[in-house]
Amino acid sequence: MAKGMYLEHYLDSIEGLPCELQRNFSLMEDLDKRTEAKKAEISELASEYIEKVKNLASEERVQHLKKIDSAYNKCKEFSDDKVQLAMQIYEMVDKHIRRLDAELARFENDLQEKLDSGSQDSSDEKQSRKDKNMKDKRGSHARDKKTSDQDSPKQKKMKNGPNISESLLAMHPSDVLDMPVDPNEPTYCLCSQVSYGEMIGCDNSDCPIEWFHFACVGLATKPKGKWYCPRCTQDMKKK
Amino acid sequence: MRKPRRRGGLAGAQSDASDTGTAAVEDSQPRSPSPYRLKVSPTRETLTYAQAQKIVEVDLDGRLHRISIFDPLVVITEDEMTAQDIAECNSNKENSEQTSVSTVVSSPRRSVANRGKKKDVKQLSSSQNHCSNSHGQSQTQSSGNSHHGTLPKPTFKEHEFYEPVEAPPRPSAYYRYIDKSSEDPDTDAEYDMDEEDVAWLELVNEKRDSDGQPHISPDTFELLIDRLEKESFLESRSQASSQSVIDEDAFCCVCLDDECLNSNVILFCDICNLAVHQECYGVPYIPEGQWLCRCCLQSPSRPVDCVLCPNRGGAFKQTSDGRWAHVVCAIWIPEVCFANTVFLEPIEGVDNIPPARWKLTCYLCKQKGCGASIQCHKANCYTAFHVTCAQRAGLFMKIDPVRETTVNGTTFSVKKTAFCEAHSPAVNGSDDEETGGRVLGCRANRGRSAYMQTPELKKQKGSNKVDSKQPQKKGKKEEVSKKTTTLLVTVPEIPAQRLNKISKDVIIQKKNQFMQRLHNYWLLKRQSRNGVPLIRRLHSHLQGQRSAEQAEPDEKLNAVREELKYWQKLRHDLERARLLIELIRKREKLKREQVKIHQAVTEHQLTPVLVLLSSTLEQLQEKDTAKIFAQPVNLKEVPDYLEFITHPMDFSTMQSKLEAHKYRSVTDLEADFNLMISNCLLYNAKDTVFYQAAIRLRDLGGAILRHAQRQAQNTGFDLDTGMHLAESPNKNDYYRCTFEDVDTLLDPDNRLHMTTENQLRELLEKLDVVTSMRSSGARTRRVRLLRREINKVRFKQNLKNSHMLNGDLKEDDDEDDEDKEMDADHNLSSSSSDKDDCKSTPPPMLEPTGLALSPPPGDTPQEPPTLRPMTSDPRTSSCGPPGIQFEYGRASSHIDPMFFVRTLTTEVSHLNNKIIETGYF
């Protein structure tokens, strides 16, 4: 099957993902360890400073504090690296997801086409199924000829679709939505809810919240240019 | 014995056989000519609870008898028994079903009644077991001459203290029918034996008996049959042979109409797929489960021939003499009618057909002496045709309901009109077709049938070519029946290994042999039922399955579905991974924040003074909007600066001093700040921008510094180490103060005891406090008053200082910068040296300071110096430089003093807000 092919390709591409993830995460772990070490060093320095501060000349104090400062700078560096790394990983997975979505859409299209082409012959059978129902004496529904003539095209569109393809495909989007709710799902926005619908990102890279629901910030459409969240706007106004 | 089987849908209308068993109960009159009247015992459903309490249930021979405790029972003898038994069997529908069953009758015994007190032991008769295998044998005893045995004496005793047992609590819910889920039926058998099975099993068991093998229990039998059924069901599913494909446009093959109303649906025979309307075939009620047309029901193996026409296929009914005829033929041939007009059977009057009709030759099939034909309705047209041939050929056949009013009343009849091809009313026909006009109960819609030529052919195909050996015309029915018969053989085929597997479930001796037999038996049984599964659930399931399979090749669909599921799962996993990573990203960001906060905390811990000072410095710098004091004075630009200023100071120097831990307290910082201001005031002329800026900065900065000082005091710093004190000092609430306090302070008399410095300090503090209050009219007024007072005090100080002529700035109290400034100015003016204003491009100018001081103290209350600059001196504008100074002067000349106050207060309040906000210690 042709559709199998590109999905196969996809499988190939995704094969490396776990390793990649692992590599990145171990890197992150390493950074984290180093940060922690630095932190320990800082606290040591700090207690040392507190102890000795009385006997220290101001130059020495400055020196000591500088040491602490540089340690902090290192810490911050590591932290920045970690954030960067996390963003990279996120991008990576996101890319895969997007690709998979695209492939799935293609897959569905193909399926749909195939079903549509086959619908001509299958429609009869479907009708027969309808009659079977009647034969079963359960579907004793009225079938007025006139209305049925009018309805049949519409019904076909509604019924033929769902019959196979949609009953089959309908699973897909809903499935993603119907995923069991992860209690740890990240929350966003002023409302601290999980992401849903359309979201907008604050253009302040240091924004603590980052993403906002359109409704929560009173947006209906995507604004042009830069957009800052209410909090960041407030902060910026202060400065 | 097993519980009696239900027979057939209609027969089974009596709901529950085991409950409705009739009982032979002796009538109250002891002697009746015919021995014992039979009385149907009431069914459980009809009993009230109270009634039920007075009924004794006796289970005799598998039948339940309910006897009222008040009914007297008569002792009967064996002979009478037999007679009764027979009568009973004949009268009772249920018993009549059990044809070859040995009836064991024990005399009804009145056992211990529920009402325990009268525990009677009236044994009415000794019971005799009587086996009568054939009922025919025993008709002799109908006369009631009976020899009575002697009655045994009843003995009884009464219990004195008998407590009737409490009736068991009724279950909260009665029995409910729960549909079995599709998973668990494997565990038990769904199949129930019928009489045939019982008989068969009996035979088998007899055989086994003679071979000395143990019996096969009915349960085992049921289980095995159940397994076979399911196996074959699975088998047939995998084979997925598309059974009978029913076209969507199915139409009733009696009226050739596809109309399907709720009250009159089109039924399909489960075997031959014959489609008929309920009304057309006489099926007033839709039976549950499968429905078979008459010929499939009664003559499943042989196709039947219509006595009235040569065509095969279609809807048949039996005639009263056991032959078959099409329903359509029976409708159309005038002499023929239905005995029962509801069920439309049997067909009567075939014998009444005149020989002339038999002799007519159908002009369509040209067969002679074959069936009875009808003739064209057109007068003078004698064209004859078989009804089915006509239908097939699409001749005009129409049935109109006619309402006739006769003397007997109104009767409804139908007028049937059929025309040969030549006389078909063409226009009419097409009309019919176009409008789709339905004739009521239309049994023959010509337009429709013409238009349905093909399907009709399918159905009635065989009709006129029966002779030509081309059984194409045998039509659907034939094809289908052929198909089904082949299906019959194929479907139940179960591979031997599966058979073995099935038989593993049970333990029987001589298993293989038995299994073989059972399988054969089952095959035959299936065949006899035309391959319809014996378990109804599977039956209906099968049909649904089949149609589903028809819709799309099942396997392919499944494969695709599986694949899709796989991908969706993958998508799920990825989504979860994404969420997880998003969480990680957030965590890392938080960690980064944490590091930053940690750093801040450490700073606060180790160098709290530094933090306070740097924040204060920052605030001070913010106030210096023009950045005049940001950098040291450029000595290249102002080479003579150092001649006047011995200790230059600026914010950047302060910053570096701060970082080098040169400052130990707010006071140190303040000293440098004041130095900076005073330098500026010293060097620059009074009407320069710099001077103004310095004054402004002095006021704003003063507030900030005072606030910082208070903070420092509140927090408590160890000035030596620059760290917090071990114990925080008592907190003074500097901001608690009422307008009364302010008012008392405002009165100069109340301040007489204080030095001017102290007065100034108090006043400034109060100003800070008041400006930090919520904005109100009272506040604004007091702020103004305070400012006025402050200026007064400052002025006084100045005066004092000028008398002292003390030029040493360094020794001055920080508070009297105003005074210093004045001082400096004075010095400048006294030295009368023209100084260049080096910091600005406008040309330097000398302010005759003496004039500035000229207004006598107290003559006009001086407004805050910041915004009330030189306007008091009219000459400044005239002699001032053209640039900024001019603008200043002009602007200020237009500005209403109240405006200044307003701006000032807003400025101050803003500042204070700022201070409060930033003061997060």
Side-chain angles (χ1 to χ4, degrees):
Chain A
M1 284 192 289
K3 59 178 163 293
M5 279 310 288
Y6 48 76
L7 285 169
E8 287 311 316
H9 282 310
Y10 180 75
L11 264 195
D12 289 345
S13 76
I14 206 167
E15 208 166 14
L17 186 68
C19 292
E20 193 79 357
L21 286 182
Q22 194 163 20
R23 201 176 61 81
N24 278 316
F25 281 134
S26 52
L27 206 62
M28 198 181 271
E29 191 192 5
D30 184 46
L31 280 171
D32 203 52
K33 273 182 186 155
R34 281 157 73 180
T35 317
E36 288 305 316
K38 276 285 168 207
K39 271 191 192 163
E41 186 189 324
I42 286 167
S43 64
E44 215 169 273
L45 280 171
S47 48
E48 190 189 329
Y49 178 83
I50 290 169
E51 257 174 48
K52 295 201 290 189
V53 71
K54 281 221 165 100
N55 313 322
L56 287 178
S58 62
E59 287 82 29
E60 286 169 315
R61 281 184 199 180
V62 173
Q63 208 111 62
H64 201 107
L65 289 175
K66 266 205 185 121
K67 258 200 244 165
I68 294 179
D69 240 24
S70 69
Y72 268 122
N73 284 339
K74 263 273 183 290
C75 266
K76 277 192 242 176
E77 236 171 72
F78 292 151
S79 302
D80 283 344
D81 283 355
K82 279 194 291 180
V83 172
Q84 213 59 41
L85 205 57
M87 274 155 85
Q88 261 176 30
I89 302 171
Y90 184 85
E91 284 300 317
M92 190 164 67
V93 173
D94 201 45
K95 207 179 73 197
H96 277 292
I97 286 180
R98 275 203 298 270
R99 228 184 109 192
L100 178 60
D101 279 349
E103 304 282 315
L104 272 178
R106 255 170 84 189
F107 181 66
E108 278 165 27
N109 274 347
D110 283 9
L111 209 63
Q112 192 73 55
E113 266 168 37
K114 221 179 68 198
L115 289 172
D116 282 351
S117 67
S119 72
Q120 223 62 23
D121 20 306
S122 71
S123 72
D124 284 354
E125 288 156 22
K126 245 160 261 152
Q127 304 283 36
S128 78
R129 177 147 90 182
K130 207 159 125 200
D131 276 15
K132 271 279 193 184
N133 281 348
M134 279 195 294
K135 178 176 164 180
D136 245 350
K137 290 108 199 170
R138 267 162 224 138
S140 52
H141 44 253
R143 205 173 40 135
D144 187 26
K145 194 186 173 203
K146 270 184 196 167
T147 57
S148 86
D149 278 353
Q150 287 165 354
D151 283 351
S152 57
K154 212 185 278 173
Q155 266 193 341
K156 243 163 217 166
K157 232 165 242 169
M158 282 177 344
K159 273 205 166 163
N160 277 4
N163 249 352
I164 315 147
S165 50
E166 266 157 54
S167 64
L168 195 103
L169 299 177
M171 289 156 59
H172 164 61
S174 60
D175 253 17
V176 176
L177 287 181
D178 289 347
M179 267 175 62
V181 176
D182 186 351
N184 298 321
E185 199 181 328
T187 56
Y188 304 92
C189 191
L190 302 168
C191 60
S192 289
Q193 298 292 316
V194 299
S195 89
Y196 59 82
E198 274 195 289
M199 309 276 294
I200 187 165
C202 179
D203 278 315
N204 176 10
S205 56
D206 286 335
C207 182
I209 302 175
E210 297 176 329
W211 290 98
F212 298 84
H213 301 116
F214 266 37
C216 295
V217 288
L219 285 175
T221 52
K222 189 173 166 284
K224 276 188 182 171
K226 296 233 180 238
W227 180 87
Y228 294 97
C229 72
R231 285 194 195 177
C232 290
T233 328
Q234 214 176 17
D235 284 355
M236 283 194 297
K237 256 187 207 157
K238 249 185 232 166
K239 286 170 188 170
Chain B
M1 245 205 81
R2 315 262 326 153
K3 64 182 173 202
R5 313 292 329 150
R6 253 169 86 184
R7 164 161 291 171
L10 291 173
Q14 221 169 342
S15 64
D16 197 347
S18 64
D19 271 357
T20 51
T22 55
V25 174
E26 303 307 317
D27 207 0
S28 40
Q29 65 252 75
R31 280 302 83 86
S32 60
S34 58
Y36 308 111
R37 233 186 70 196
L38 296 168
K39 197 166 102 190
V40 175
S41 69
T43 62
R44 177 175 286 174
E45 286 81 5
T46 60
L47 290 175
T48 64
Y49 181 71
Q51 281 170 336
Q53 290 290 306
K54 295 172 187 147
I55 293 276
V56 183
E57 272 190 6
V58 185
D59 191 352
L60 285 181
D61 192 16
R63 280 175 288 155
L64 268 182
H65 301 267
R66 293 200 184 75
I67 306 160
S68 166
I69 53 171
F70 302 119
D71 282 344
L73 293 179
V74 179
V75 179
I76 53 171
T77 57
E78 185 181 329
D79 300 322
E80 284 168 344
M81 265 309 304
T82 319
Q84 178 204 327
D85 188 34
I86 293 153
E88 186 184 323
C89 285
N90 291 340
S91 72
N92 193 332
K93 199 181 272 175
E94 271 171 50
N95 294 343
S96 67
E97 283 178 13
Q98 308 170 343
T99 46
S100 63
V101 159
S102 62
T103 343
V104 181
V105 181
S106 61
S107 78
R109 171 197 317 220
R110 199 160 180 183
S111 59
V112 182
N114 273 358
R115 307 294 200 193
K117 259 186 186 164
K118 30 178 177 164
K119 182 182 182 184
D120 62 353
V121 282
K122 256 196 271 173
Q123 197 110 18
L124 293 184
S125 79
S126 58
S127 62
Q128 283 114 356
N129 292 351
H130 193 99
C131 294
S132 61
N133 270 338
S134 76
H135 296 288
Q137 151 236 36
S138 54
Q139 66 289 71
T140 49
Q141 309 284 350
S142 52
S143 72
N145 322 338
S146 47
H147 349 277
H148 287 265
T150 47
L151 279 174
K153 272 275 174 210
T155 57
F156 61 91
K157 59 178 175 182
E158 282 192 8
H159 289 265
E160 286 285 308
F161 307 101
Y162 177 76
E163 293 286 319
V165 187
E166 290 279 316
R170 292 185 150 198
S172 55
Y174 289 105
Y175 297 106
R176 263 182 313 147
Y177 177 71
I178 296 168
D179 217 347
K180 274 178 188 158
S181 63
S182 52
E183 286 91 45
D184 66 28
D186 282 345
T187 53
D188 52 21
E190 278 178 276
Y191 181 72
D192 279 327
M193 288 171 99
D194 58 10
E195 301 84 40
E196 212 174 8
D197 299 331
V198 173
W200 184 81
L201 197 62
E202 231 164 56
L203 284 174
V204 169
N205 278 338
E206 258 171 43
K207 186 91 192 310
R208 288 177 75 92
D209 246 357
S210 63
D211 293 353
Q213 287 155 354
H215 282 217
I216 304 281
S217 77
D219 287 330
T220 321
F221 177 83
E222 284 187 350
L223 184 76
L224 285 172
I225 291 284
D226 183 71
R227 291 290 178 276
L228 283 171
E229 275 298 328
K230 279 170 186 162
E231 203 58 49
S232 78
F233 171 67
L234 292 176
E235 194 73 5
S236 68
R237 211 160 57 155
S238 58
Q239 282 175 5
S241 59
S242 65
Q243 198 205 15
S244 39
V245 178
I246 306 159
D247 36 352
E248 138 74 350
D249 295 316
F251 52 90
C252 168
C253 69
V254 175
C255 65
L256 301 184
D257 191 17
D258 67 347
E259 194 161 22
C260 182
L261 301 171
N262 271 342
S263 57
N264 187 20
V265 303
I266 296 182
L267 298 176
F268 293 83
C269 171
D270 279 327
I271 289 174
C272 68
N273 222 11
L274 174 78
V276 280
H277 275 125
Q278 271 181 283
E279 283 175 9
C280 297
Y281 204 67
V283 191
Y285 308 107
I286 298 173
E288 207 183 298
Q290 65 169 357
W291 177 81
L292 300 177
C293 71
R294 279 284 171 237
C295 73
C296 290
L297 196 68
Q298 279 157 320
S299 171
S301 42
R302 277 173 295 122
V304 295
D305 289 316
C306 177
V307 289
L308 301 173
C309 74
N311 293 338
R312 277 181 168 184
F316 282 92
K317 286 275 179 159
Q318 239 171 342
T319 62
S320 49
D321 53 0
R323 288 179 293 168
W324 294 86
H326 283 120
V327 178
V328 232
C329 297
I331 291 169
W332 278 89
I333 295 174
E335 290 81 12
V336 181
C337 63
F338 297 103
N340 183 328
T341 50
V342 174
F343 293 99
L344 298 183
E345 59 191 354
I347 296 166
E348 281 184 334
V350 179
D351 299 336
N352 298 343
I353 298 173
R357 191 175 288 287
W358 292 109
K359 280 180 195 153
L360 288 172
T361 308
C362 172
Y363 90 106
L364 291 166
C365 66
K366 312 274 195 304
Q367 293 179 55
K368 276 187 190 168
C370 202
S373 302
I374 54 171
Q375 283 170 296
C376 177
H377 230 72
K378 183 92 177 171
N380 301 329
C381 176
Y382 299 103
T383 316
F385 40 84
H386 291 123
V387 180
T388 45
C389 292
Q391 263 197 334
R392 208 205 128 255
L395 295 189
F396 180 88
M397 298 168 89
K398 194 173 174 186
I399 299 178
D400 289 318
V402 179
R403 192 187 203 184
E404 280 173 11
T405 317
T406 61
V407 272
N408 309 346
T410 314
T411 57
F412 292 96
S413 66
V414 289
K415 186 175 145 232
K416 292 166 260 190
T417 38
F419 292 103
C420 68
E421 212 161 9
H423 297 109
S424 293
V427 183
N428 202 357
S430 67
D431 251 14
D432 266 3
E433 191 177 329
E434 266 162 30
T435 56
R438 291 271 104 63
V439 194
L440 197 69
C442 88
R443 300 262 151 97
N445 181 337
R446 188 195 174 222
R448 181 70 183 156
S449 60
Y451 167 88
M452 297 279 288
Q453 187 80 22
T454 350
E456 199 193 357
L457 258 180
K458 232 201 252 171
K459 270 191 350 175
Q460 313 253 345
K461 261 183 265 181
S463 47
N464 40 0
K465 298 187 191 167
V466 159
D467 284 355
S468 62
K469 312 252 159 164
Q470 230 303 4
Q472 168 210 32
K473 64 283 277 294
K474 282 192 178 173
K476 200 170 184 182
K477 153 83 199 193
E478 270 267 287
E479 276 170 31
V480 167
S481 63
K482 223 190 251 166
K483 218 188 250 172
T484 47
T485 43
T486 52
L487 205 80
L488 282 189
V489 186
T490 54
V491 166
E493 223 166 82
I494 297 173
Q497 80 220 39
R498 297 254 187 111
L499 214 58
N500 285 339
K501 212 173 147 199
I502 292 170
S503 57
K504 256 181 215 159
D505 290 350
V506 288
I507 300 150
I508 342 168
Q509 285 178 342
K510 282 248 176 180
K511 198 198 276 176
N512 282 347
Q513 190 197 351
F514 175 72
M515 280 309 289
Q516 205 53 49
R517 280 171 164 229
L518 183 71
H519 187 217
N520 288 339
Y521 169 73
W522 172 73
L523 276 180
L524 286 170
K525 184 157 180 150
R526 267 300 268 275
Q527 227 148 17
S528 76
R529 294 193 54 181
N530 302 300
V532 176
L534 303 178
I535 299 176
R536 175 163 304 153
R537 186 179 68 85
L538 296 185
H539 179 48
S540 47
H541 203 220
L542 196 61
Q543 284 178 346
Q545 201 73 31
R546 277 205 185 119
S547 42
E549 278 158 10
Q550 283 161 11
E552 183 87 345
D554 196 36
E555 277 172 38
K556 208 170 165 189
L557 194 72
N558 268 345
V560 169
R561 193 173 284 150
E562 283 304 309
E563 208 180 330
L564 203 61
K565 246 185 208 161
Y566 173 75
W567 292 114
Q568 278 161 358
K569 216 171 150 220
L570 187 63
R571 177 75 173 77
H572 263 197
D573 290 350
L574 277 175
E575 185 68 24
R576 281 174 60 194
R578 196 175 68 95
L579 286 185
L580 206 62
I581 291 163
E582 173 71 359
L583 282 174
I584 288 173
R585 194 180 65 87
K586 286 203 146 202
R587 184 191 69 193
E588 290 308 325
K589 277 193 115 175
L590 283 176
K591 273 186 170 181
R592 190 169 59 176
E593 281 309 302
Q594 194 201 13
V595 166
K596 283 176 186 164
I597 289 168
H598 200 274
Q599 187 179 19
V601 167
T602 316
E603 267 174 18
H604 275 116
Q605 193 191 5
L606 298 185
T607 56
V609 175
L610 215 60
V611 173
L612 175 66
L613 291 183
S614 62
S615 83
T616 313
L617 187 60
E618 213 168 273
Q619 287 171 42
L620 289 173
Q621 268 178 303
E622 260 172 39
K623 293 298 164 219
D624 177 24
T625 44
K627 305 269 179 232
I628 294 169
F629 303 98
Q631 295 297 323
V633 174
N634 191 340
L635 292 177
K636 275 179 195 156
E637 279 177 29
V638 212
D640 61 341
Y641 189 69
L642 288 184
E643 288 173 24
F644 301 93
I645 308 296
T646 42
H647 298 281
M649 185 49 63
D650 66 309
F651 279 135
S652 63
T653 321
M654 282 163 82
Q655 187 73 48
S656 47
K657 268 177 91 175
L658 182 73
E659 274 160 24
H661 293 237
K662 292 277 170 53
Y663 296 126
R664 296 257 156 140
S665 67
V666 182
T667 328
D668 295 348
L669 187 73
E670 205 173 0
D672 268 352
F673 176 72
N674 287 330
L675 175 64
M676 181 176 77
I677 296 290
S678 58
N679 282 348
C680 179
L681 294 177
L682 179 67
Y683 187 78
N684 293 304
K686 216 173 186 180
D687 52 356
T688 56
V689 200
F690 304 105
Y691 193 90
Q692 307 306 327
I695 296 285
R696 192 177 132 83
L697 187 61
R698 183 192 64 190
D699 280 12
L700 296 174
I704 293 168
L705 285 166
R706 282 194 298 277
H707 180 77
Q709 189 69 268
R710 279 193 290 270
Q711 260 185 353
Q713 276 167 22
N714 262 357
T715 324
F717 290 117
D718 181 355
L719 293 185
D720 199 22
T721 57
M723 299 218 281
H724 292 281
L725 289 173
E727 283 172 34
S728 67
N730 291 334
K731 292 227 181 333
N732 297 324
D733 192 352
Y734 290 101
Y735 294 97
R736 182 174 301 146
C737 129
T738 58
F739 284 135
E740 285 74 46
D741 298 340
V742 179
D743 290 341
T744 49
L745 195 69
L746 277 172
D747 187 351
D749 296 337
N750 293 340
R751 290 183 270 138
L752 282 177
H753 62 282
M754 290 191 268
T755 64
T756 42
E757 285 98 61
N758 284 343
Q759 281 182 25
L760 191 63
R761 186 179 294 148
E762 283 289 317
L763 284 168
L764 283 168
E765 248 162 39
K766 288 286 179 260
L767 181 66
D768 287 347
V769 170
V770 173
T771 44
S772 71
M773 283 178 179
R774 192 172 289 169
S775 174
S776 70
R779 194 199 73 156
T780 322
R781 207 181 64 237
R782 284 188 177 78
V783 167
R784 211 162 53 220
L785 288 172
L786 273 172
R787 288 192 191 291
R788 192 176 293 165
E789 282 304 310
I790 288 167
N791 278 320
K792 271 185 199 164
V793 173
R794 279 195 175 150
F795 211 85
K796 259 187 226 159
Q797 244 180 346
N798 274 345
L799 281 181
K800 220 166 55 187
N801 284 350
S802 58
H803 287 309
M804 287 156 68
L805 280 179
N806 185 357
D808 192 352
L809 302 173
K810 292 292 160 287
E811 284 160 22
D812 271 349
D813 197 35
D814 353 333
E815 229 58 58
D816 51 13
D817 39 4
E818 172 88 39
D819 139 68
K820 278 185 278 174
E821 162 228 331
M822 295 299 180
D823 211 26
D825 281 352
H826 197 79
N827 289 344
L828 276 174
S829 63
S830 59
S831 65
S832 71
S833 57
D834 280 11
K835 291 288 174 275
D836 270 356
D837 191 350
C838 347
K839 281 189 200 166
S840 69
T841 30
M845 69 148 282
L846 176 68
E847 184 73 25
T849 43
L851 287 172
L853 291 172
S854 56
D859 94 348
T860 46
Q862 235 181 340
E863 284 299 321
T866 351
L867 293 169
R868 196 65 192 268
M870 306 308 136
T871 37
S872 55
D873 185 358
R875 274 180 298 165
T876 20
S877 51
S878 57
C879 67
I884 298 170
Q885 186 60 45
F886 178 65
E887 264 184 39
Y888 245 96
R890 210 176 55 177
S892 50
S893 64
H894 292 303
I895 289 169
D896 163 40
M898 276 314 290
F899 169 79
F900 280 102
V901 173
R902 273 201 303 274
T903 31
L904 184 77
T905 43
T906 50
E907 181 70 19
V908 169
S909 70
H910 180 72
L911 176 74
N912 271 288
N913 289 340
K914 186 83 192 171
I915 287 167
I916 288 159
E917 266 169 36
T918 44
Y920 50 86
F921 276 85

